[in-house]
Amino acid sequence: MRSLELQPLQIGNVAVWPPVLLAPMAGETGSVLRILCKRLGAGLVCTELTSSHGLFYKNKRSFEYLRWTDEERPISAQIFGAEPEMMAVAAAMCCEAGADLIDINMGCWVPKVAKTGAGASLLKDLKRAAEVMSAVVRASSVPVTIKTRVGWDGCIGSALEMGRTAEDCGIAALTIHGRTAVQGFTGEADWAPIAEAREKLRIPVIGNGDVRTPQDAERMFRQTGCDGVMIGRQALGNPWVFREVNAWLLDGRELPPPTGWERLEVAREHARLLALQHRGSEAPETPLPAIARGQLAHYLVGLPHAAAARREMVRIETLGDADRVLGGVRRLLDADPREARRLRFPEEDPDPLAASGAVG
């Protein structure tokens, strides 16, 4: 493959390199996954979507989403809501917390978000969307971006209309997921609206949807002309996807997938960082947050006896419990090293025990 002549993704005064980004995903893209993806080559990472209502009313859990480390920079803080005043206050709080960018979620189709008029519902109400975007831009001391979908249902709302409105409101960049809100994650992503937006808008356009391999990322760049590519569910339990995509795009090199041992090592680091961040300890008896169960189970996909190991993983309580499960899988790999060297991640996670709560 002839390597692409990629340029840094310029979002206001923030330069993103490489232009391969981690998508915000509810219940998944906490600080630990963001750190691991940055270490393995993600150019930009983003928080989970955070409720402007929760920030406005000083909900403790909402403020936990605004915790990050310098290792994650540049960091984008994603907020959602349909009330311009609350969104402005939330954006100011994110800036005060040290966010490098603010992202407005205009793509979440999950009913508990969309039924409030927020998320993808704003595709159906451009006037309200403009009020929200303008309020956030005025309140922010950093560049503001939005993430949306190609439309609500194929008839109502479009990414191009939203993009034109966003430009008028001072939005610095636009991410488009190639499915409608009604589709959710079903069917195939349509990249044509991403190409249309890139052709007709002045602001940078980032493509998202069905980027599972380095070759997919190349096709999205070539077919849409987009300024950046955002990777979501394929990064769950697989932060190496950024290393592989960058090697292919920048040097034309196809890297081998991580070995089973590498996957277990990073899964252990994921668990350790969760324990440190949530409890300040890495002793075996350190309790892990409930989110650890699903997050760690992603690393086990495709490994020997993965189904049994994942059933154990979703019942863990402590760091020691996680070590026990990972250690059991490692012993299986040590007994047959060939299994550890020929593993590949499936394109879709087959096990509902660790299904993502990702939205947007």
Side-chain angles (χ1 to χ4, degrees):
M1 185 208 81
R2 181 178 62 81
S3 60
L4 290 168
E5 296 181 2
L6 297 179
Q7 300 297 320
L9 170 61
Q10 195 69 40
I11 304 176
N13 61 354
V14 177
V16 175
W17 182 259
V20 183
L21 296 66
L22 173 67
M25 292 176 283
E28 300 288 356
T29 48
S31 177
V32 171
L33 182 62
R34 298 195 303 260
I35 287 172
L36 296 175
C37 288
K38 283 292 288 186
R39 288 177 181 176
L40 287 161
L44 178 68
V45 296
C46 186
T47 67
E48 301 178 46
L49 80 169
T50 305
S51 167
S52 60
H53 186 276
L55 292 176
F56 185 88
Y57 288 106
K58 298 180 170 54
N59 177 277
K60 181 179 178 181
R61 182 178 177 185
S62 295
F63 277 98
E64 290 178 357
Y65 294 139
L66 303 187
R67 296 170 52 190
W68 45 72
T69 66
D70 284 341
E71 189 174 358
E72 298 162 57
R73 294 192 184 277
I75 179 77
S76 177
Q78 189 185 72
I79 55 177
F80 74 92
E83 298 298 329
E85 297 81 7
M86 283 189 181
M87 288 289 283
V89 170
M93 289 178 173
C94 292
C95 293
E96 186 176 348
D100 299 298
L101 297 162
I102 305 295
D103 187 67
I104 304 173
N105 183 303
M106 294 186 168
C108 181
W109 51 273
V110 172
K112 69 178 181 181
V113 172
K115 72 181 181 181
T116 68
S121 285
L122 290 167
L123 282 159
K124 300 185 290 183
D125 189 348
L126 283 183
K127 182 177 181 293
R128 176 53 63 96
E131 292 170 353
V132 167
M133 289 187 282
S134 295
V136 171
V137 169
R138 287 194 300 268
S140 299
S141 58
V142 300
V144 179
T145 63
I146 67 171
K147 185 173 188 289
T148 191
R149 287 182 167 244
V150 296
W152 175 258
D153 61 1
C155 297
I156 301 172
S158 79
L160 180 58
E161 290 176 345
M162 182 67 82
R164 285 173 169 156
T165 303
E167 283 188 333
D168 292 341
C169 295
I171 295 298
L174 163 70
T175 299
I176 302 172
H177 180 98
R179 291 181 176 84
T180 65
V182 170
Q183 280 182 283
F185 287 125
T186 63
E188 294 184 357
D190 181 4
W191 294 353
I194 301 172
E196 181 184 29
R198 173 59 281 167
E199 180 185 356
K200 296 182 178 180
L201 298 177
R202 300 182 303 276
I203 59 176
V205 173
I206 300 155
N208 174 229
D210 289 355
V211 178
R212 302 185 180 100
T213 67
Q215 293 74 24
D216 289 338
E218 180 201 358
R219 286 193 302 107
M220 177 171 275
F221 273 115
R222 294 192 187 279
Q223 290 181 18
T224 70
C226 63
D227 301 282
V229 165
M230 182 174 281
I231 297 173
R233 291 172 289 166
Q234 193 62 22
L236 301 179
N238 181 26
W240 299 272
V241 67
F242 293 99
R243 182 178 68 183
E244 294 167 7
V245 166
N246 292 339
W248 180 257
L249 294 179
L250 301 177
D251 303 318
R253 293 181 297 124
E254 185 169 9
L255 297 182
T259 66
W261 294 299
E262 287 179 276
R263 288 166 63 176
L264 294 176
E265 182 179 350
V266 172
R268 176 58 172 80
E269 176 68 356
H270 193 131
R272 186 186 73 83
L273 289 172
L274 282 173
L276 280 175
Q277 288 192 2
H278 286 263
R279 296 289 183 165
S281 170
E282 50 186 302
E285 64 273 15
T286 304
L288 290 175
I291 57 171
R293 298 166 181 168
Q295 291 181 2
L296 296 175
H298 288 306
Y299 290 93
L300 302 176
V301 177
L303 292 174
H305 304 283
R310 295 175 85 189
R311 283 193 293 271
E312 288 187 62
M313 189 64 81
V314 297
R315 293 194 294 266
I316 63 171
E317 299 286 346
T318 67
L319 183 58
D321 291 340
D323 283 341
R324 174 180 52 78
V325 176
L326 295 173
V329 177
R330 184 178 185 89
R331 286 190 291 275
L332 292 171
L333 294 181
D334 289 343
D336 187 358
R338 293 171 298 177
E339 287 291 334
R341 294 192 180 98
R342 61 173 179 246
L343 297 167
R344 279 200 173 273
F345 287 93
E347 290 192 354
E348 296 292 343
D349 190 338
D351 191 338
L353 287 172
S356 168
V359 298

